């Protein structure tokens, strides 16, 4: 019999803890996985106790996912290398600003045959002006195959076991079915596709659109305006993917990682919430992040900056007015009250006739 696959979850925030519930459950019941799942936890002291101790003794991450039990076969470990060294499957689920440091620490310390699954939504700046996908960064540092999982998956609702779907972008059929087994439950249905980069691009870009949705909410606009922002945002996402990732397939935008995640994020996500408060209170984004999110991290404003960095270099800011306006507002270069004016003359507002 083949050896059981060992799983490590690198990260233990809101999403990391919700996915630990699922992975712990599946690893305990399916023969192909070792039932002991390790979880790297960035150590914090909460009410005088270590977070790892709380998770291992009370089986709950009281800071990032309070009110939900994490299965007892998930073991919290504060040492990154210790938690990952024997893993066959490494699930990366940390805010994207921390991933490079963590990859540096893991370099040469993991199984060379390990496979990665990144749940991280965001980009990084590439040397020379472009943007780097997080899965590519992990792949380069660790020299392993890295797949991605993105979808309309607000962590709290997934932890509540409310029915939803997700998308795994996978580089090989064999790993596609193993990862589906590891992640799927009756309430968390998985579609596996091979358009890996587009799946990841969707997951990062939708957070920029969500900031725009939050600005509109803060300014008192209604559902029609929100829908216009979602549609224009989707068109910019598609254009971005097709411009910079030539093999990108339109069908990927119909998966959970595409239009579904975009809608969820523009109604329920943290980027929308903080952006609404930004307009209503006039406080800066950093202060609101601390005030509202209790240690959770915001991705939209950083992603908008990374995308803008690339668009500016390529002289393409005008072709992506929504992405550009969100960046300028988050950066303090544009008043949020002017947001709608920036998308009023969007290049999508044209006469479209088919050639038939
Ligand atoms: N929360 C969701 O609903 C959700 C859903 C899908 C995808 N995601 C994505 O998952 C990724 C992780 O998000 P999350 O919600 O699990 O995290 P989070 O924002 O809830 O928590 C922040 C995490 O970062 C850790 N941390 C803080 N400072 C650190 C440091 N200096 N070094 C290393 N770690 C540090 C904290 O311990 C905590 O685990 C993000 O890319 C996010 O976009 C989140």
């Amino acid at each position: 019999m083949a050896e059981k696959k060992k799983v490590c979850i690198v990260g233990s925030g809101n999403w990391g803890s919700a996915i630990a519930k699922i992975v712990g459950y599946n690893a305990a019941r399916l023969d192909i996985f070792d039932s002991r799942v390790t979880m790297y936890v960035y150590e914090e002291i909460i009410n005088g106790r270590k977070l790892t101790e709380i998770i291992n003794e009370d089986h709950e991450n009281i800071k990032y996912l309070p009110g939900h039990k994490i299965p007892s076969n998930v073991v919290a470990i504060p040492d990154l290398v210790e938690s990952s060294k024997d893993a066959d499957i490494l699930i990366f689920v940390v805010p994207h600003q921390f991933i490079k440091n963590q990859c540096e620490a893991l370099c040469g310390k993991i199984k060379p045959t390990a496979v990665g699954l990144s749940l991280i939504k965001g980009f990084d700046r590439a040397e020379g002006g472009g943007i780097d996908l997080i899965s590519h960064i992990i792949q380069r540092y660790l020299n392993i195959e890295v797949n991605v999982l993105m979808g309309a998956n607000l962590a709290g609702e997934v932890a509540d076991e409310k029915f939803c779907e997700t998308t795994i972008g996978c580089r090989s059929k064999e790993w596609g079915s193993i990862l589906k087994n590891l992640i799927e439950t009756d309430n968390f249905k998985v579609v596996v596709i091979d358009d890996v980069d587009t799946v990841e691009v969707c997951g990062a870009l939708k957070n920029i659109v969500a900031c725009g949705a939050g600005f509109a909410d803060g300014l008192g606009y209604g559902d029609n305006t929100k829908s216009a922002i979602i549609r224009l945002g989707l068109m910019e996402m598609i254009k971005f993917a097709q411009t910079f990732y030539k093999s990108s397939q339109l069908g990927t935008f119909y998966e959970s990682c595409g239009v579904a995640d975009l809608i969820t994020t523009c109604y329920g996500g943290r980027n929308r919430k903080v952006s609404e408060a930004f307009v209503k209170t006039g406080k800066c984004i950093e202060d609101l992040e601390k005030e509202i999110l209790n240690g959770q991290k915001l991705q939209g404003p950083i992603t908008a900056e990374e995308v803008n960095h690339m668009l500016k270099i390529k002289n393409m800011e005008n072709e992506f007015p929504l992405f550009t306006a969100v960046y300028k507002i988050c950066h303090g270069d544009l008043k949020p009250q002017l947001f709608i004016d920036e998308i009023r003359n969007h290049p999508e507002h044209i006469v479209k006739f088919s050639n038939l």
Side-chain angles (χ1 to χ4, degrees):
M1 208 176 95
E3 259 187 48
K4 289 175 183 269
K5 298 204 182 314
K6 293 192 167 80
V7 185
C8 170
I9 302 169
V10 179
S12 54
N14 191 225
W15 187 216
S17 303
I19 212 71
K21 260 191 86 174
I22 291 179
V23 168
Y25 166 74
N26 280 336
R29 77 187 177 91
L30 298 175
D31 265 356
I32 54 166
F33 302 111
D34 190 308
S35 64
R36 183 178 186 266
V37 173
T38 53
M39 177 164 73
Y40 163 66
V41 174
Y42 178 76
E43 193 69 285
E44 296 179 57
I45 303 294
I46 296 162
N47 305 331
R49 288 172 77 198
K50 289 179 176 171
L51 183 56
T52 45
E53 218 174 85
I54 298 172
I55 295 173
N56 288 334
E57 288 170 11
D58 305 346
H59 307 293
E60 184 179 339
N61 186 340
I62 58 165
K63 176 157 183 188
Y64 294 101
L65 192 66
H68 291 278
K69 286 287 171 207
I70 293 174
S72 57
N73 55 318
V74 176
V75 181
I77 299 178
D79 184 305
L80 178 61
V81 173
E82 177 62 29
S83 66
S84 327
K85 65 180 194 320
D86 297 325
D88 301 293
I89 300 174
L90 288 157
I91 300 177
F92 295 93
V93 57
V94 293
H96 74 283
Q97 49 269 48
F98 304 128
I99 192 66
K100 273 189 174 166
N101 279 347
Q102 297 190 330
C103 283
E104 268 166 22
L106 287 178
C107 208
K109 310 264 171 58
I110 57 164
K111 273 188 168 178
T113 51
V115 159
L117 179 67
S118 173
L119 277 53
I120 300 171
K121 293 177 174 171
F123 297 126
D124 196 27
R125 283 191 189 194
E127 280 168 30
I131 53 172
D132 235 352
L133 297 183
I134 302 298
S135 68
H136 292 192
I137 294 174
I138 301 171
Q139 192 268 326
R140 270 202 315 274
Y141 271 94
L142 304 182
N143 199 22
I144 56 171
E145 173 186 314
V146 184
N147 307 293
V148 300
L149 178 151
M150 309 276 148
N153 306 140
L154 295 176
E157 293 182 21
V158 173
D160 281 340
E161 297 174 25
K162 292 180 176 158
F163 177 82
C164 68
E165 299 178 312
T166 199
T167 314
I168 291 182
C170 195
R171 299 185 192 277
S172 68
K173 258 194 189 160
E174 183 206 346
W175 277 102
S177 48
I178 296 171
L179 294 174
K180 186 173 164 62
N181 279 326
L182 180 63
I183 299 290
E184 188 162 75
T185 68
D186 282 352
N187 290 315
F188 194 66
K189 300 302 290 184
V190 177
V191 174
V192 184
I193 61 174
D194 62 1
D195 189 10
V196 187
D197 287 351
T198 310
V199 173
E200 187 169 358
V201 167
C202 284
L205 292 179
K206 57 101 199 192
N207 282 333
I208 307 179
V209 186
C211 291
F215 297 147
D217 286 343
L219 292 165
Y221 287 95
D223 286 340
N224 293 346
T225 311
K226 179 87 75 80
S227 294
I229 289 165
I230 291 173
R231 192 192 78 85
L232 291 172
L234 178 64
M235 297 313 275
E236 291 193 18
M237 285 168 60
I238 294 171
K239 183 170 181 170
F240 188 92
Q242 292 183 337
T243 306
F244 300 112
Y245 299 89
K246 293 292 178 204
S247 62
S248 176
Q249 294 159 30
L250 191 59
T252 302
F253 291 87
Y254 304 136
E255 300 293 346
S256 182
C257 63
V259 71
D261 193 10
L262 181 61
I263 293 169
T264 290
T265 312
C266 287
Y267 279 91
R270 62 179 87 156
N271 291 281
R272 189 218 64 80
K273 192 172 171 186
V274 170
S275 300
E276 180 183 24
F278 175 72
V279 175
K280 285 186 167 166
T281 64
K283 294 182 184 173
C284 73
I285 300 251
E286 294 74 27
D287 288 349
L288 288 167
E289 184 179 12
K290 285 189 199 113
E291 236 172 71
I292 299 177
L293 296 184
N294 185 34
Q296 292 182 9
K297 300 289 175 202
L298 210 58
Q299 321 294 153
I302 313 178
T303 307
E305 189 176 341
E306 284 147 1
V307 165
N308 184 263
H309 172 70
M310 172 139 127
L311 294 178
K312 207 175 261 153
I313 289 170
K314 308 239 178 236
N315 205 16
M316 292 178 80
E317 279 179 292
N318 291 342
E319 294 179 47
F320 295 86
L322 191 147
F323 290 173
T324 303
V326 168
Y327 160 72
K328 285 183 180 168
I329 292 169
C330 294
H331 206 242
D333 296 341
L334 184 75
K335 286 200 165 66
Q337 287 73 13
L338 296 176
F339 175 55
I340 298 298
D341 286 337
E342 295 292 300
I343 56 172
R344 219 178 276 286
N345 298 310
H346 198 282
E348 278 299 316
H349 298 146
I350 51 166
V351 178
K352 288 186 194 173
F353 273 52
S354 71
N355 291 328
L356 299 173

